[in-house]
Amino acid sequence: DQRRVHGNQPCDLCTLPALNREFYLFPSCRHVFHQDCLVDEVKRNLTPSVLHKVHDLERTVAEGDRFVKKVKSDDPTDLAEEGESKYDKARKELDTIITSECIFCSDCMIRKIDKPFFRPSEANSWLLE
């Protein structure tokens, strides 16, 4: 099954087991990324306007997380629909932006061909001894 992730399958960015945290699977290429790893990598390649939109959506999702936790701690049966739907809408829009294409297999990789393979802070780890 192309939509199945095996227990020892690593995140293709950090190489830690994918099942340890929330993750995304791209079925067509089988790449698997932790949600936070993928978000960080995608954000590095966004235009300023889309990056601003992603930051706004992340704030809304965080507010929704706090809202859900507060409501559940006050009374688990009283989950207000307004906060939940706002959270769900922001989460879906953020997911759509983040998962629009696999960062390894799509035009995204072609667009970043002129960018360094590592961050300046990682330069020493690439030195040959």
Side-chain angles (χ1 to χ4, degrees), residues 118-129:
F118 54 88
R119 294 176 183 98
S121 62
E122 300 169 330
N124 288 337
S125 68
W126 286 86
L127 293 176
L128 299 175
E129 295 180 12

Side-chain angles (χ1 to χ4, degrees), residues 57-112:
L57 292 168
E58 287 177 321
R59 278 191 291 278
T60 302
V61 168
E63 289 169 10
D65 286 344
R66 285 191 298 277
F67 172 79
V68 169
K69 285 178 186 173
K70 179 179 179 350
V71 170
K72 284 184 177 179
S73 66
D74 291 345
D75 180 3
T77 61
D78 183 29
L79 189 60
E81 286 186 25
E82 180 182 340
E84 189 177 32
S85 64
K86 180 180 178 182
Y87 164 79
D88 288 341
K89 181 179 177 186
R91 168 61 79 185
K92 286 177 185 170
E93 191 171 352
L94 182 59
D95 282 348
T96 298
I97 293 169
I98 299 304
T99 63
S100 64
E101 56 186 9
C102 175
I103 58 171
F104 287 170
C105 299
S106 64
D107 291 345
C108 175
M109 192 57 97
I110 294 168
R111 288 190 302 271
K112 67 186 224 178

Side-chain angles (χ1 to χ4, degrees), residues 13-26:
L13 284 168
C14 74
T15 70
L16 295 174
L19 295 178
N20 287 353
R21 303 196 306 262
E22 186 177 344
F23 65 91
Y24 292 106
L25 165 68
F26 290 83

